[in-house]
Amino acid sequence: MNAAMPAPLPLIPAKMSRPPMPRGLLERPRLDEWFQRLGEVRLALLRAPSGFGKTTLACQWAGAFDGRVAWLQLHPGDNDPRQLARYLLHVIDAQLEHGCPRSLLLAEQGAEVFDTLLTHLLAELPVEHEPLLLVLDDFEILSSAEVIGALRFFLRNMPAWMTLLVCSRSLPELGVADLRVKHQLLTVDTPHLAFETEEVQALLDLALPVAINREQVERLNRRIGGWPCALQLAVQEVQTGRGMDLFLENLQLGHPCIRDYMREQVMEPLGAATLDFLQSTCLLERFDASLADRLTQGSNARGMLEQLERVGLFMQPLDGLRQWYAYHPLFALFLQGELRIHQPHKLSDLHLRAAEALLAENMPEEAARHAVQAGCAVQVGKVLERHGKQFYRQGRLGLLQQCLETLPEAVIAGSPLFTLLQAWVSQNSYQFDQVERWFEAGEQALQESCSEEDWARIVSEFNAVRAQVAMNRGDEQQAITLANEALACEPLIMRTSRVAALSGLAEAHFVQGLLPQAQKQYEEAERRAREIRASHLVVWNLCQLSEIAIAQGYLQKAYSLQERAIQYVEQAELQATPIMEFIYRVRGQVLLEWHHLDAAEQCALQGIQILEDVGDRWFLQCYALLAGIAHARGQQAVCADYIGRMQSMLADDDYHIDWLANAHAVMLSYWDSTQDKAAIQQWLLTAPGLQRGLNHFAQLNGRNHMRAHLSLKQPEKALPILRQLQADAEQHGLVMDLNRNHILLAQLHWQREGRQQALDHLQQALTLASSTGAIGSFLRIGKPLIVMLKALQHERQLDELESQRVDRLIQLAQQQRDFSRAIRITLDEAVIQDIINRPDVPELIRHSPLTRREWQVLSLIHAGQSNEQIAEHLNVAPTTIKTHIRSLYQKLNITHRNEAVQLARSLLSKIQGE
């Protein structure tokens, strides 16, 4: 006689209920496309590692599903077929309004095996019914072959009105391949569930009490790899802008909460063989089965990779053929941290094995990085001997520096190649004194072993580096002499030396204002660089040519040159190097001048992404560009954040005048907008000295001085500076600077009430802008630009192109958000007439017109200034202001200041575009 079956356990209601939706949930419309297909498939699979929001998305879809939803949360005990049968029958029966009583009774009795019970259920289900979505969450928990086989049978025979939605970390054994071929499968996996940058921005805007700038948002998403779990952690921890910086630092170091999550949710179920594989391969940025075999000293890496992919670990294929893989950035960081803590003795050996394996696989850059990490000078030397020239040609100067720091000084000095590479690296990192020290060491070690002819050729290559050092120190004449000496001999060590010398010669002539000569030399250098496949120098020369085009006022040509550089990099399939930041940054400056703010911002962000591993000091130019964009948008808090970052960087480091001038320009604009006179006065005390405006950065530095004096109401000090800059710009063909100088001269004369001179310069600036395309330089004047342009329209004859540009500039200036505390617009006769001519202006103003001074007083009342402040602003006695106020109140038939503010807002908004 069979033993009596144990009584079944009670059913837990929570397992059969849809989880509550989290608060502050972000809508993700891009996933709607998959949701719309739910009713067309048998199986919908949400597959990703832990923490990617599978359950949350399933809840969202269940809530929006047009039909019934049966939900079952799976637990390890559900591998018992009897228990799973009871739960499954109950959730389905409840949604069918108790439509399968016989099957439910059989499930409670527990007498039938699972697949037989499901046969009864399928027979009992109606042929027609409203749509039903059956959700099985945490499917990876099921390991019983009997259970999975029965569910596969059920899925294959479900009625058409039923869809199975499975949330799983691993690939379920439900006949997925067959369903895919029959178009009965819908799959949403890790790349789809990972948050895109726009979604990260939207969530942070929704959930955080402070604004996070775009650069922080993009850096955050790069580091978390779109992982929603880490994003929720950021939402919990970050309460300030600085808090985001600290969170990003913690991520890079290995956030303790993420370590705990990975240990508990990911690592606990894994076996010893899997753990060993993960630890052996986690140091690699990317790997295939061959590399994994070398590092694990095994022979079944392909099988292990397929298994890891099936179980849904934090690993993604990098190609369609699923040959190359990479770990999620936070998972790799976690694994590396665990290795350092628990098995530090293995690190050096793993790095060395990785270096040898990568070199054998012809992946020299990765090999070099691991050889450096292993601290193996022999292996580093081997990589540099074979690939050092290639690293330089491709601009891998940071990697070269890491390699050379691993080698003993005597080894470097004993090799002409290593000495030359070390000199270029030292020059690039602004360690100019070190360049000569390395040359002296090389001379002692090498000169006696070289023939006189060979040594002369080596010295000529040394002089190519010395020429660049002289340029960076501001000694253009010495640079020209050294560059010509370098060009006198054919190089012995590196073919790039002649190209570098020619580029250095061009740069010296560029700085001296000899643009046609510099342009010709850069074009020749680019041609030669292409011939020897020196990609770094190809891109460098194209960037310099684009800067010459900008200086000449050919912004569209500059943009096209930048496009050529980007296409060259893409066609050559080169990885991003710091020189690419140069392209994007200069392109961003062109786009900012054209007032394409979103595109300019993206360029700056791309530049920062490229420089992320190089060091924060190099972010200065990109931050200056982002601050300028924020200023143009009227985003005071964002602009202030970038200004603060720039000030910290400037305090901690020395920069070339080109970089300083760009940074100072946006800082002065910000201080002027916020009326921070003290900051402007302090800047003048420490600012770089004035020099002849022979090049674009000397011109910009001069305009910075001029802007500072203009902000401090010192036009008499500003005017001679600008006149000299204008003379230099005319002499050297600096058309873009001519354009910008005319704009500032117009602003200066307008401030001095030199109306006709201001309009003369403004019209000349507009004429030049017809070819340069300048827009942003005009808009930096702010709201007063509207007044000046309307006066120009009113009083001057403009050609059609100039007239169109004026209308466009007025429209853009009206759209600008101004965060200045100062008066935003100074009223002028042309503006007053423009207001009066509008059809919706009160008749009272037409019949009793205000005087110009009364309009000015009304405008200052609108700006929130007191009578005393208005008197100071207009340089008259307070009693005079009271007289003007009484007169305008009488003319406007108002009695209170609030009425005056309201009326002024109504009138001025028509001009300011508010």
Side-chain angles (χ1 to χ4, degrees), residues 874-889:
L874 297 178
N875 197 27
V876 296
T879 53
T880 304
I881 295 303
K882 290 181 179 179
T883 302
H884 288 311
I885 290 175
R886 280 196 301 270
S887 175
L888 71 88
Y889 278 16

Side-chain angles (χ1 to χ4, degrees), residues 750-858:
W750 191 267
Q751 189 180 99
R752 298 177 71 196
E753 298 189 355
R755 183 186 189 83
Q756 295 310 314
Q757 288 175 293
L759 295 182
D760 287 342
H761 284 292
L762 188 59
Q763 190 161 12
Q764 290 179 70
L766 284 167
T767 301
L768 284 171
S770 297
S771 58
T772 65
I775 293 174
S777 294
F778 286 94
L779 296 176
R780 288 186 196 104
I781 294 176
K783 294 296 185 182
L785 176 66
I786 301 169
V787 187
M788 296 165 67
L789 290 172
K790 285 189 175 292
L792 192 68
Q793 281 181 321
H794 190 66
E795 300 177 27
R796 298 292 174 93
Q797 187 71 34
L798 303 176
D799 65 32
E800 185 178 354
L801 196 58
E802 290 171 351
S803 182
Q804 289 174 356
R805 185 167 293 275
V806 167
D807 289 339
R808 172 68 173 148
L809 286 169
I810 289 173
Q811 179 188 28
L812 290 172
Q814 288 174 336
Q815 293 170 357
Q816 276 189 304
R817 293 175 54 197
D818 191 347
F819 55 76
S820 169
R821 292 190 301 267
I823 179 65
R824 290 169 293 172
I825 187 166
T826 302
L827 292 171
D828 178 82
E829 283 86 348
V831 176
I832 295 168
Q833 193 61 47
D834 189 77
I835 294 174
I836 292 173
N837 288 343
R838 290 175 180 268
D840 54 347
V841 166
E843 286 295 323
L844 182 63
I845 293 179
R846 297 187 201 279
H847 295 129
S848 300
L850 306 181
T851 66
R852 183 186 178 196
R853 181 65 86 188
E854 288 168 350
W855 276 107
Q856 290 175 329
V857 170
L858 181 61

